Amino acid sequence: MLKSISWGFPLRLKGMKPEAKPKPVNNIADLAKGMWIGLARKPQWRCLIPVTGFAEAEGEKGRMTRTWFALKDQPVFAWARLWRISDEWGPVYSGVITDANEAIQPVHNRMPVLLLAHEYEQWLHGTFDDALAFQKRTFPPELVTMERTSELWAKKKTATEAPQLL
């Protein structure tokens, strides 16, 4: 079943005012850490993010461009994620990340935990050790394609691009 939910677990930092908006935690760097381990141990909180590719920012600050990564011969693949229902935003998820493989390293030191179709069931229904193994492995770099673009990572808004009420 596909369902659209909010990206980012709400996190209230110490000292935040009660009315302040929580910070979204979009990525999970270590499934064994306190914030994540309880969810990661329970397969019912594991899901898949279907993707056709993912982008990273590359270049000097203020001029970063979008570099796209995809999988060879895989028009759609999955990114491992955890989800839960939050009081603040309802259903939310965060993507699991790991150290970048050789294909990603020229652009970024981290990458999504990518899954191939034959691995989906193991991620969704496997043990906690199975989930950790996916995060600790090196995804095969020969399966990754890279496309550098001239598209700016963050576009500066001009006065003519201000939001309009309809």
Side-chain angles (χ1 to χ4, degrees):
M1 170 175 59
L2 291 177
K3 186 174 183 179
S4 179
I5 62 177
S6 298
W7 188 357
F9 278 50
L11 176 64
R12 292 206 156 275
L13 301 172
K14 280 187 177 180
M16 285 181 84
K17 295 181 180 180
E19 66 277 5
K21 181 180 174 184
K23 304 268 186 214
V25 180
N26 296 324
N27 296 316
I28 303 166
D30 188 349
L31 289 169
K33 291 285 183 182
M35 183 172 176
W36 309 111
I37 194 167
L39 292 171
R41 288 186 183 281
K42 298 175 184 169
Q44 67 265 31
W45 298 114
R46 296 186 214 147
C47 287
L48 303 170
I49 304 169
V51 293
T52 57
F54 61 95
E56 294 292 352
E58 184 175 22
E60 65 182 75
K61 191 171 183 173
R63 296 177 143 175
M64 291 183 157
T65 57
R66 200 171 296 271
T67 298
W68 285 96
F69 296 93
L71 297 188
K72 292 178 185 170
D73 304 319
Q74 298 288 320
V76 177
F77 51 99
W79 178 359
R81 76 174 183 181
L82 296 181
W83 78 283
R84 72 174 172 91
I85 298 173
S86 72
D87 292 336
E88 299 87 348
W89 302 330
V92 295
Y93 75 92
S94 286
V96 184
I97 60 172
T98 188
D99 293 332
N101 65 18
E102 290 177 18
I104 310 294
Q105 284 173 355
V107 178
H108 203 280
N109 65 346
R110 307 292 283 167
M111 67 180 281
V113 171
L114 303 177
L115 302 169
L116 300 172
H118 71 275
E119 299 171 322
Y120 297 173
E121 284 300 313
Q122 188 176 6
W123 168 257
L124 291 171
H125 304 291
T127 67
F128 177 63
D129 287 338
D130 291 336
L132 283 178
F134 281 121
Q135 189 171 42
K136 291 179 181 180
R137 76 168 178 189
T138 300
F139 189 83
E142 65 275 8
L143 298 181
V144 177
T145 64
M146 176 172 58
E147 179 188 350
R148 288 185 162 109
T149 72
S150 59
E151 180 185 355
L152 292 178
W153 181 259
K155 295 178 182 174
K156 293 180 182 177
K157 289 185 180 179
T158 64
T160 59
E161 293 181 69
Q164 298 178 15
L165 296 176
L166 300 177

PDB file of all heavy atoms in Angstrom, residues 90-108:
ATOM      1  N   GLY A  90       1.124  13.978  12.897  1.00  0.00           N
ATOM      2  CA  GLY A  90       0.484  12.753  12.418  1.00  0.00           C
ATOM      3  C   GLY A  90       1.533  11.754  11.941  1.00  0.00           C
ATOM      4  O   GLY A  90       2.644  11.716  12.473  1.00  0.00           O
ATOM      5  N   PRO A  91       1.236  10.948  10.925  1.00  0.00           N
ATOM      6  CA  PRO A  91       2.219   9.970  10.443  1.00  0.00           C
ATOM      7  C   PRO A  91       3.455  10.668   9.861  1.00  0.00           C
ATOM      8  O   PRO A  91       3.325  11.594   9.058  1.00  0.00           O
ATOM      9  CB  PRO A  91       1.478   9.200   9.358  1.00  0.00           C
ATOM     10  CG  PRO A  91       0.037   9.486   9.572  1.00  0.00           C
ATOM     11  CD  PRO A  91      -0.039  10.836  10.221  1.00  0.00           C
ATOM     12  N   VAL A  92       4.632  10.235  10.288  1.00  0.00           N
ATOM     13  CA  VAL A  92       5.903  10.815   9.836  1.00  0.00           C
ATOM     14  C   VAL A  92       6.902   9.695   9.550  1.00  0.00           C
ATOM     15  O   VAL A  92       6.753   8.578  10.043  1.00  0.00           O
ATOM     16  CB  VAL A  92       6.506  11.782  10.888  1.00  0.00           C
ATOM     17  CG1 VAL A  92       5.622  12.995  11.089  1.00  0.00           C
ATOM     18  CG2 VAL A  92       6.756  11.073  12.214  1.00  0.00           C
ATOM     19  N   TYR A  93       7.918  10.005   8.759  1.00  0.00           N
ATOM     20  CA  TYR A  93       8.984   9.036   8.509  1.00  0.00           C
ATOM     21  C   TYR A  93      10.326   9.737   8.419  1.00  0.00           C
ATOM     22  O   TYR A  93      10.409  10.946   8.187  1.00  0.00           O
ATOM     23  CB  TYR A  93       8.725   8.232   7.234  1.00  0.00           C
ATOM     24  CG  TYR A  93       8.977   8.991   5.946  1.00  0.00           C
ATOM     25  CD1 TYR A  93      10.218   8.944   5.325  1.00  0.00           C
ATOM     26  CD2 TYR A  93       7.979   9.759   5.358  1.00  0.00           C
ATOM     27  CE1 TYR A  93      10.452   9.630   4.143  1.00  0.00           C
ATOM     28  CE2 TYR A  93       8.205  10.445   4.185  1.00  0.00           C
ATOM     29  CZ  TYR A  93       9.441  10.371   3.576  1.00  0.00           C
ATOM     30  OH  TYR A  93       9.685  11.059   2.418  1.00  0.00           O
ATOM     31  N   SER A  94      11.379   8.947   8.599  1.00  0.00           N
ATOM     32  CA  SER A  94      12.747   9.394   8.362  1.00  0.00           C
ATOM     33  C   SER A  94      13.457   8.302   7.594  1.00  0.00           C
ATOM     34  O   SER A  94      13.233   7.113   7.838  1.00  0.00           O
ATOM     35  CB  SER A  94      13.485   9.670   9.675  1.00  0.00           C
ATOM     36  OG  SER A  94      13.039  10.868  10.256  1.00  0.00           O
ATOM     37  N   GLY A  95      14.321   8.699   6.682  1.00  0.00           N
ATOM     38  CA  GLY A  95      15.070   7.752   5.870  1.00  0.00           C
ATOM     39  C   GLY A  95      16.345   7.317   6.578  1.00  0.00           C
ATOM     40  O   GLY A  95      17.015   8.111   7.231  1.00  0.00           O
ATOM     41  N   VAL A  96      16.688   6.042   6.423  1.00  0.00           N
ATOM     42  CA  VAL A  96      17.904   5.492   7.024  1.00  0.00           C
ATOM     43  C   VAL A  96      19.072   5.790   6.080  1.00  0.00           C
ATOM     44  O   VAL A  96      18.986   5.563   4.871  1.00  0.00           O
ATOM     45  CB  VAL A  96      17.762   3.968   7.266  1.00  0.00           C
ATOM     46  CG1 VAL A  96      18.997   3.422   7.969  1.00  0.00           C
ATOM     47  CG2 VAL A  96      16.507   3.665   8.078  1.00  0.00           C
ATOM     48  N   ILE A  97      20.169   6.312   6.638  1.00  0.00           N
ATOM     49  CA  ILE A  97      21.356   6.620   5.835  1.00  0.00           C
ATOM     50  C   ILE A  97      22.554   5.830   6.332  1.00  0.00           C
ATOM     51  O   ILE A  97      22.543   5.271   7.432  1.00  0.00           O
ATOM     52  CB  ILE A  97      21.657   8.137   5.823  1.00  0.00           C
ATOM     53  CG1 ILE A  97      21.923   8.665   7.240  1.00  0.00           C
ATOM     54  CG2 ILE A  97      20.531   8.902   5.147  1.00  0.00           C
ATOM     55  CD1 ILE A  97      22.404  10.114   7.276  1.00  0.00           C
ATOM     56  N   THR A  98      23.579   5.798   5.501  1.00  0.00           N
ATOM     57  CA  THR A  98      24.792   5.056   5.795  1.00  0.00           C
ATOM     58  C   THR A  98      25.982   5.772   5.168  1.00  0.00           C
ATOM     59  O   THR A  98      25.815   6.783   4.480  1.00  0.00           O
ATOM     60  CB  THR A  98      24.671   3.603   5.259  1.00  0.00           C
ATOM     61  OG1 THR A  98      25.779   2.839   5.726  1.00  0.00           O
ATOM     62  CG2 THR A  98      24.611   3.559   3.743  1.00  0.00           C
ATOM     63  N   ASP A  99      27.179   5.233   5.380  1.00  0.00           N
ATOM     64  CA  ASP A  99      28.369   5.799   4.742  1.00  0.00           C
ATOM     65  C   ASP A  99      28.255   5.650   3.227  1.00  0.00           C
ATOM     66  O   ASP A  99      27.789   4.621   2.725  1.00  0.00           O
ATOM     67  CB  ASP A  99      29.633   5.098   5.228  1.00  0.00           C
ATOM     68  CG  ASP A  99      29.925   5.362   6.693  1.00  0.00           C
ATOM     69  OD1 ASP A  99      29.535   6.437   7.194  1.00  0.00           O
ATOM     70  OD2 ASP A  99      30.546   4.505   7.337  1.00  0.00           O
ATOM     71  N   ALA A 100      28.702   6.662   2.505  1.00  0.00           N
ATOM     72  CA  ALA A 100      28.637   6.635   1.043  1.00  0.00           C
ATOM     73  C   ALA A 100      29.564   5.562   0.481  1.00  0.00           C
ATOM     74  O   ALA A 100      30.652   5.323   1.007  1.00  0.00           O
ATOM     75  CB  ALA A 100      29.016   7.997   0.487  1.00  0.00           C
ATOM     76  N   ASN A 101      29.123   4.957  -0.606  1.00  0.00           N
ATOM     77  CA  ASN A 101      29.993   4.017  -1.315  1.00  0.00           C
ATOM     78  C   ASN A 101      30.880   4.811  -2.283  1.00  0.00           C
ATOM     79  O   ASN A 101      30.794   6.038  -2.358  1.00  0.00           O
ATOM     80  CB  ASN A 101      29.171   2.927  -2.019  1.00  0.00           C
ATOM     81  CG  ASN A 101      28.284   3.460  -3.128  1.00  0.00           C
ATOM     82  OD1 ASN A 101      28.475   4.567  -3.636  1.00  0.00           O
ATOM     83  ND2 ASN A 101      27.299   2.675  -3.513  1.00  0.00           N
ATOM     84  N   GLU A 102      31.715   4.119  -3.049  1.00  0.00           N
ATOM     85  CA  GLU A 102      32.667   4.788  -3.948  1.00  0.00           C
ATOM     86  C   GLU A 102      31.984   5.623  -5.023  1.00  0.00           C
ATOM     87  O   GLU A 102      32.552   6.611  -5.500  1.00  0.00           O
ATOM     88  CB  GLU A 102      33.580   3.755  -4.604  1.00  0.00           C
ATOM     89  CG  GLU A 102      34.557   3.114  -3.650  1.00  0.00           C
ATOM     90  CD  GLU A 102      35.391   2.029  -4.322  1.00  0.00           C
ATOM     91  OE1 GLU A 102      35.460   1.993  -5.565  1.00  0.00           O
ATOM     92  OE2 GLU A 102      35.976   1.214  -3.590  1.00  0.00           O
ATOM     93  N   ALA A 103      30.779   5.248  -5.412  1.00  0.00           N
ATOM     94  CA  ALA A 103      30.066   6.006  -6.446  1.00  0.00           C
ATOM     95  C   ALA A 103      29.552   7.346  -5.926  1.00  0.00           C
ATOM     96  O   ALA A 103      29.472   8.316  -6.677  1.00  0.00           O
ATOM     97  CB  ALA A 103      28.899   5.173  -6.989  1.00  0.00           C
ATOM     98  N   ILE A 104      29.196   7.415  -4.659  1.00  0.00           N
ATOM     99  CA  ILE A 104      28.613   8.623  -4.060  1.00  0.00           C
ATOM    100  C   ILE A 104      29.691   9.522  -3.443  1.00  0.00           C
ATOM    101  O   ILE A 104      29.542  10.738  -3.393  1.00  0.00           O
ATOM    102  CB  ILE A 104      27.578   8.243  -2.969  1.00  0.00           C
ATOM    103  CG1 ILE A 104      26.569   7.210  -3.467  1.00  0.00           C
ATOM    104  CG2 ILE A 104      26.874   9.480  -2.404  1.00  0.00           C
ATOM    105  CD1 ILE A 104      25.649   7.651  -4.547  1.00  0.00           C
ATOM    106  N   GLN A 105      30.794   8.933  -2.953  1.00  0.00           N
ATOM    107  CA  GLN A 105      31.825   9.673  -2.212  1.00  0.00           C
ATOM    108  C   GLN A 105      32.350  10.937  -2.892  1.00  0.00           C
ATOM    109  O   GLN A 105      32.654  11.900  -2.192  1.00  0.00           O
ATOM    110  CB  GLN A 105      32.995   8.751  -1.868  1.00  0.00           C
ATOM    111  CG  GLN A 105      32.691   7.818  -0.739  1.00  0.00           C
ATOM    112  CD  GLN A 105      33.782   6.782  -0.506  1.00  0.00           C
ATOM    113  OE1 GLN A 105      34.749   6.692  -1.263  1.00  0.00           O
ATOM    114  NE2 GLN A 105      33.617   6.003   0.545  1.00  0.00           N
ATOM    115  N   PRO A 106      32.467  10.992  -4.218  1.00  0.00           N
ATOM    116  CA  PRO A 106      32.942  12.260  -4.805  1.00  0.00           C
ATOM    117  C   PRO A 106      32.024  13.451  -4.516  1.00  0.00           C
ATOM    118  O   PRO A 106      32.448  14.597  -4.607  1.00  0.00           O
ATOM    119  CB  PRO A 106      32.985  11.966  -6.308  1.00  0.00           C
ATOM    120  CG  PRO A 106      33.102  10.489  -6.409  1.00  0.00           C
ATOM    121  CD  PRO A 106      32.336   9.934  -5.231  1.00  0.00           C
ATOM    122  N   VAL A 107      30.768  13.173  -4.148  1.00  0.00           N
ATOM    123  CA  VAL A 107      29.788  14.236  -3.943  1.00  0.00           C
ATOM    124  C   VAL A 107      29.399  14.387  -2.479  1.00  0.00           C
ATOM    125  O   VAL A 107      29.213  15.496  -1.985  1.00  0.00           O
ATOM    126  CB  VAL A 107      28.525  13.973  -4.798  1.00  0.00           C
ATOM    127  CG1 VAL A 107      27.460  15.031  -4.569  1.00  0.00           C
ATOM    128  CG2 VAL A 107      28.896  13.888  -6.269  1.00  0.00           C
ATOM    129  N   HIS A 108      29.266  13.272  -1.748  1.00  0.00           N
ATOM    130  CA  HIS A 108      28.780  13.324  -0.367  1.00  0.00           C
ATOM    131  C   HIS A 108      29.340  12.144   0.414  1.00  0.00           C
ATOM    132  O   HIS A 108      29.646  11.108  -0.162  1.00  0.00           O
ATOM    133  CB  HIS A 108      27.245  13.280  -0.368  1.00  0.00           C
ATOM    134  CG  HIS A 108      26.617  13.850   0.861  1.00  0.00           C
ATOM    135  ND1 HIS A 108      26.522  13.151   2.035  1.00  0.00           N
ATOM    136  CD2 HIS A 108      26.046  15.057   1.095  1.00  0.00           C
ATOM    137  CE1 HIS A 108      25.914  13.903   2.952  1.00  0.00           C
ATOM    138  NE2 HIS A 108      25.623  15.072   2.400  1.00  0.00           N
TER     139      HIS A 108
END
